[in-house]
Amino acid sequence: MKLPKIRELLEAVKALVVGPYTSRFPRKPHVPFKSFRGQPQFNEDFCVGCLACEEVCPAGAIGHNDAVSGGKAVRTIYHYTDTCIFCGECEAACIADHKGIKLSTEWDLAFFDRNRAFESIDRDLVTCERCGAVVAARRHLQWITDRLGELAFSSPTLYQTKLKELGLIDDNPAAVHRENARSDRLKTLCAHCRRQTTAGA
Amino acid sequence: MGVESGMPTCAEQFHHNRLNPAPKIEKGPARLFIDLDRCASGECSGCRLKCSYGSTEKNNNGIFSVAELATFVLVCRKCEEAHCVKACPVEALERRDEAGKVLVRHNLRCVGCKSCSHACPYGTIFPENLPFLVHNCDFCLDRRNKKNEPLCIATCPLGALRLVPADKEPGENTYPVGDNLLVHSTHWRNEKA
Ligand code: SF4
Ligand code: SF4
Ligand code: SF4
Ligand code: SF4
């Protein structure tokens, strides 16, 4: 008899004593390994709304919608469970310390209605005070401001967002000024308007 | 110059730190002319031109790499302490010390978060010009002798592109960049400020 056969025999005897390797699923719920790659989940506390996860997702499982209505602009980021391949690229790219979206060990992902196979997160947006276009998510601008330190004071878009967060200003006082190039420069602006207003020396 | 004679295009020179940001006007293969003012006017929402590179990616064709190169060489103010570089979370942006202190975005590192765009106090980098997947323009150098113009020229809806003989004196606000590019751009200029 060859060696492997003896090993199998030993396993069989052992199983009689300590019970089978297989779990009692579904009677007993399955507990996945800690490193199991399950459902990616957004984290309210960390996601800054930059959309790097959407850029890098190879399956196109992350999408977003920017809704601007009245004075409010909100970005909703979607993660589609039925499209996701659980590769973890989103978590690897996430600029919020890889915590804005994270693979969980959640594996029980069956849906009766495929249209509901998604989860989402909402982030406040900052819009351009000159042209109305979306600049970026408020949290993202705050994240950049913190990263830049004192350099952020070169950009009104950044320091005004930060001052608003700290409750030091309400609305940008320059935003209500008469339209002329100089006060435009002190507004919260998108990159296009920023370039136009700073181009003339 | 060009692919056939084994010389790298200016996109390759850029990445190998051999780009000449202010070359002389002399004989050579026709330069690709880009009107950056028109291209970056915001009139175009999402570039729709066709590119022989065969890209099927929306908002990503060879011209994005050309516009990025031209912007970094001409529009960027080469900040001593670059905001964009400091903002990047993955060290994808580098400011070269040589060759006119031109920025380079290492696109294999870039995750497309646009932090650099929002950090720049001059609006140099437009967020829509930071594709995660990059197609580096080769200026269709090996297709030139078949007499068909690069596909981008014929398909740009704003007519911002054309071929210009390399030895033609550039007009106002027009600058040659590297070996293959001629850029029209009215931007802030250090010597005028
Ligand atoms: S795990 Fe992969 S496929 Fe799923 S959302 Fe993240 S990047 Fe996309
Ligand atoms: S912070 Fe992370 S999870 Fe949020 S949008 Fe950016 S990459 Fe995605
Ligand atoms: S912050 Fe803007 S102007 Fe300064 S180096 Fe970066 S892109 Fe150029
Ligand atoms: S878009 Fe790319 S280069 Fe710019 S900050 Fe993000 S990772 Fe860095």
Side-chain angles (χ1 to χ4, degrees):
Chain A
M1 206 190 284
K2 281 184 188 163
L3 269 179
K5 288 286 172 205
I6 294 173
R7 198 190 67 202
E8 281 153 22
L9 208 63
L10 284 174
E11 291 290 348
V13 174
K14 212 166 112 197
L16 281 177
V17 187
V18 297
Y21 281 107
T22 46
S23 71
R24 295 193 158 270
F25 182 81
R27 223 172 306 155
K28 256 177 75 183
H30 169 67
V31 182
F33 292 106
K34 242 171 81 186
S35 54
F36 180 79
R37 289 142 73 115
Q39 168 87 320
Q41 283 165 347
F42 291 114
N43 189 319
E44 272 297 333
D45 296 334
F46 292 103
C47 172
V48 298
C50 69
L51 302 179
C53 49
E54 177 180 343
E55 284 279 345
V56 304
C57 175
I62 298 180
H64 77 279
N65 179 41
D66 290 350
V68 190
S69 68
K72 225 171 143 43
V74 176
R75 168 172 292 163
T76 309
I77 310 172
Y78 299 94
H79 170 261
Y80 297 100
T81 307
D82 55 346
T83 317
C84 179
I85 56 171
F86 310 102
C87 64
E89 284 294 319
C90 49
E91 177 183 328
C94 176
I95 72 166
D97 248 349
H98 314 289
K99 290 178 187 151
I101 189 163
K102 228 177 174 29
L103 299 199
S104 66
T105 52
E106 188 52 55
W107 60 275
D108 190 358
L109 302 173
F111 286 88
F112 283 112
D113 179 1
R114 197 169 179 173
N115 293 329
R116 292 181 165 213
F118 71 86
E119 52 174 57
S120 65
I121 188 169
D122 283 352
R123 297 286 86 150
D124 263 6
L125 291 173
V126 170
T127 50
C128 176
E129 285 168 355
R130 193 162 170 261
C131 74
V134 168
V135 180
R138 189 178 304 284
R139 293 270 296 265
H140 188 198
L141 295 177
Q142 287 161 0
W143 179 93
I144 298 169
T145 309
D146 291 341
R147 204 174 163 80
L148 289 184
E150 60 192 22
L151 280 186
F153 284 98
S154 319
S155 163
T157 308
L158 293 179
Y159 70 70
Q160 277 161 14
T161 307
K162 184 70 188 177
L163 291 178
K164 266 184 215 165
E165 182 205 357
L166 297 173
L168 293 177
I169 51 169
D170 290 339
D171 275 310
N172 176 9
V176 291
H177 279 191
R178 204 159 40 87
E179 301 292 317
N180 67 47
R182 211 155 258 290
S183 65
D184 266 357
R185 261 193 228 175
L186 297 176
K187 289 178 181 172
T188 293
L189 298 177
C190 67
H192 286 267
C193 290
R194 178 68 61 207
R195 186 178 313 171
Q196 278 171 29
T197 53
T198 53
Chain B
M1 278 176 238
V3 173
E4 279 156 351
S5 57
M7 278 291 283
T9 63
C10 66
E12 287 166 279
Q13 290 169 352
F14 184 38
H15 283 276
H16 293 113
N17 210 0
R18 294 210 307 270
L19 179 89
N20 183 354
K24 280 207 219 60
I25 294 297
E26 53 192 11
K27 274 212 168 337
R31 287 173 181 273
L32 181 68
F33 170 90
I34 177 168
D35 189 341
L36 210 56
D37 290 351
R38 235 183 260 186
C39 184
S41 63
E43 230 176 284
C44 217
S45 61
C47 185
R48 279 159 309 210
L49 60 71
K50 292 207 175 71
C51 171
S52 299
Y53 208 98
S55 163
T56 50
E57 288 282 326
K58 201 178 136 241
N59 275 359
N60 185 6
N61 51 54
I63 290 303
F64 278 77
S65 69
V66 170
E68 182 172 53
L69 174 66
T71 307
F72 284 166
V73 173
L74 296 170
V75 183
C76 169
R77 307 200 184 189
K78 330 262 159 80
C79 303
E80 277 304 324
E81 218 180 320
H83 305 65
C84 52
V85 172
K86 194 161 178 204
C88 179
V90 290
E91 291 175 33
L93 274 179
E94 180 192 352
R95 217 194 52 181
R96 293 268 164 81
D97 287 332
E98 316 83 353
K101 305 197 168 180
V102 174
L103 279 175
V104 52
R105 180 169 65 102
H106 298 285
N107 49 273
L108 283 178
R109 281 191 173 187
C110 174
V111 293
C113 69
K114 332 283 187 213
S115 300
C116 49
S117 162
H118 306 313
C120 173
Y122 307 109
T124 299
I125 307 172
F126 292 158
E128 63 273 24
N129 282 11
L130 289 165
F132 175 61
L133 298 174
V134 170
H135 298 277
N136 265 331
C137 174
D138 67 354
F139 301 92
C140 283
L141 285 174
D142 53 351
R143 293 183 200 92
R144 296 272 180 90
N145 47 9
K146 288 170 212 151
K147 214 190 163 270
N148 47 359
E149 282 190 329
L151 197 55
C152 53
I153 294 181
T155 52
C156 171
L158 296 184
L161 305 164
R162 59 177 183 270
L163 280 181
V164 169
D167 51 359
K168 191 173 167 235
E169 270 306 314
E172 218 196 327
N173 294 329
T174 305
Y175 315 86
V177 171
D179 289 338
N180 314 106
L181 197 55
L182 189 67
V183 185
H184 177 264
S185 166
T186 42
H187 47 269
W188 176 87
R189 296 215 331 261
N190 197 10
E191 60 276 18
K192 273 180 134 187

